[in-house]
Amino acid sequence: MIDPEYDTFKPEYKEAFEHLNIAWLDEFFVVEAYDRKVLGNPQEFIIDKQGHILIAKIDNRVVGTVALMKIDEAEYELTKMAIDKAYRGQKIGQKLLTFALSFAKENLITSLILYSNRTLENAIYIYGKFGFEEVPLETNTPYNRADIKMKLNL
């Protein structure tokens, strides 16, 4: 099992962040207009709004991403999590999620929400394993594909 190195967003990661997420969305769903907007300009839509993008690298190659998008002072959305298809099945997603939760605590984030889809049974199971619990899904979610919302108090 390979342990990735972790980093926070730098401009040189923009292309990999966009590519990995679009590839994942194309594989499982469809890339929505909101996705294109955020993925095409993560600096403006995530970083400049006091959010964070975390990167997993193996041999200096970006193999995973996850973003923490600020909702308010204490709550963030865990989003844009994608793992390079060639590296799936090696628990890199779980390791990146562990890193993201530690990073969130260190940055005084007290709760995380996420939107997902019930067809992603493995992902939902893993989120549950990490302590996320289902909460009511509002009708005006940012994603058409979302049919479940989960929350974790840190």
Side-chain angles (χ1 to χ4, degrees):
M1 208 60 58
I2 299 171
D3 279 328
E5 293 178 35
Y6 303 101
D7 203 355
T8 54
F9 186 77
K10 293 177 177 55
E12 61 262 28
Y13 299 143
K14 178 189 178 294
E15 190 175 310
F17 176 73
E18 184 175 18
H19 172 76
L20 286 175
N21 276 280
I22 286 178
W24 183 88
L25 288 166
D26 275 342
E27 182 178 349
F28 292 99
F29 299 102
V30 65
V31 182
E32 298 177 20
Y34 180 71
D35 297 313
R36 289 204 187 279
K37 192 164 64 169
V38 172
L39 294 170
N41 197 342
Q43 183 71 42
E44 177 184 348
F45 288 97
I46 300 171
I47 305 298
D48 291 349
K49 294 181 178 180
Q50 298 177 307
H52 309 278
I53 297 173
L54 307 174
I55 303 294
K57 299 189 312 180
I58 294 175
D59 296 330
N60 232 13
R61 176 181 173 189
V62 176
V63 298
T65 71
V66 65
L68 302 173
M69 289 178 67
K70 185 175 183 175
I71 296 170
D72 60 37
E73 287 310 311
E75 187 168 71
Y76 283 65
E77 178 188 351
L78 182 90
T79 187
K80 308 302 179 227
M81 186 160 189
I83 304 300
D84 185 317
K85 193 172 187 171
Y87 290 87
R88 291 187 200 153
Q90 299 180 42
K91 298 196 184 295
I92 291 170
Q94 291 183 57
K95 291 175 184 179
L96 182 56
L97 184 55
T98 299
F99 177 73
L101 296 180
S102 294
F103 182 92
K105 288 175 188 172
E106 289 169 15
N107 284 275
L108 307 179
I109 296 169
T110 58
S111 71
L112 292 172
I113 60 149
L114 63 84
Y115 296 94
S116 192
N117 186 285
R118 294 178 193 281
T119 61
L120 302 172
E121 293 175 8
N122 192 42
I124 305 278
Y125 171 79
I126 290 168
Y127 294 137
K129 192 168 111 173
F130 277 82
F132 282 87
E133 295 179 346
E134 186 173 354
V135 294
L137 178 69
E138 62 271 28
T139 54
N140 61 337
T141 68
Y143 313 100
N144 292 328
R145 64 184 167 270
D147 68 0
I148 185 172
K149 179 179 180 181
M150 300 180 85
K151 182 174 183 172
L152 174 66
N153 291 317
L154 299 170

